[in-house]
Amino acid sequence: MSVVTLGLNAALRLARGRADGVVLVPNDRKTIVRSFWSIAFCLPAVACRLLMSWQDSGVPADAGHLLARELIVFVVGWLVFVEVTYRLAPLIGRADRWGRFIAVWNWCNVIEGVLIILGCIPGVLGAPPIVDQACELVTVGWALWLEWYATRLAFGVAPLAAVGLVLLDQSIGVVLASLALMIGP
């Protein structure tokens, strides 16, 4: 089984609440390095999310610039989280589990991106606002839960520590997106 198939299968199992998804991902250097292919699998979802956000306002004149900025912020945020958790792992006594954690986390991001897109589809199709918002809420909640669940199991941390790591990840994204908006046109 290829690393991509293995990683996506593990993430799908975790998304369905199956803890055995974690053990499908080996804790070896090759698997960890190859798990970063997941970034490429996430980029279409990032672009799709941006395109969906332009549904009401129309495509702006500088769409290419905005798309490039969105993709750069996404990738930089991803890598910042990887680096922060790499440095944090020894401090919380989890250095031995960091590799599998980051590989699982990488692949779960693909599923999370798909969930976010699925939640936006009713709004794009003209569903009533209550249906649109409910779908977005469910899928965003599921994506956050998946990150928390995968973090708790793969990193072997307590539930509250997993919440902290999810909040750290989300905070990095918000801060980088805010900085990009401040320095860009």
Side-chain angles (χ1 to χ4, degrees):
M1 195 179 290
S2 77
V3 172
V4 172
T5 306
L6 192 68
L8 289 174
N9 188 24
L12 283 169
R13 284 176 180 255
L14 288 164
R16 294 189 325 254
R18 295 192 49 190
D20 63 340
V22 170
V23 296
L24 291 178
V25 179
N27 193 20
D28 61 82
R29 182 172 167 71
K30 183 177 175 182
T31 300
I32 296 161
V33 170
R34 289 186 176 173
S35 74
F36 284 91
W37 278 106
S38 59
I39 294 172
F41 285 87
C42 287
L43 295 180
V46 173
C48 188
R49 190 185 75 239
L50 185 62
L51 291 172
M52 289 173 134
S53 75
W54 294 335
Q55 177 191 2
D56 292 332
S57 62
V59 178
D62 58 346
H65 174 81
L66 294 173
L67 177 60
R69 180 175 66 191
E70 187 78 13
L71 294 174
I72 290 168
V73 167
F74 178 78
V75 172
V76 169
W78 188 306
L79 298 175
V80 167
F81 181 75
V82 168
E83 180 66 21
V84 168
T85 57
Y86 179 76
R87 300 206 179 269
L88 183 64
L91 300 175
I92 62 172
R94 295 292 187 260
D96 60 323
R97 296 183 76 143
W98 180 83
R100 176 174 281 153
F101 157 70
I102 213 63
V104 168
W105 179 83
N106 281 342
W107 290 114
C108 283
N109 272 292
V110 177
I111 305 305
E112 292 168 32
V114 170
L115 286 169
I116 300 303
I117 296 305
L118 289 174
C120 294
I121 290 174
V124 170
L125 297 176
I130 188 78
V131 173
D132 176 37
Q133 292 167 7
C135 289
E136 286 182 26
L137 182 62
V138 167
T139 56
V140 167
W142 192 357
L144 289 171
W145 172 84
L146 173 56
E147 183 174 359
W148 171 84
Y149 186 60
T151 297
R152 189 172 65 85
L153 294 175
F155 221 8
V157 294
L160 193 55
V163 167
L165 288 165
V166 171
L167 288 174
L168 173 65
D169 178 29
Q170 299 306 311
S171 298
I172 289 168
V174 168
V175 167
L176 288 175
S178 298
L179 288 173
L181 286 173
M182 287 178 9
I183 61 174

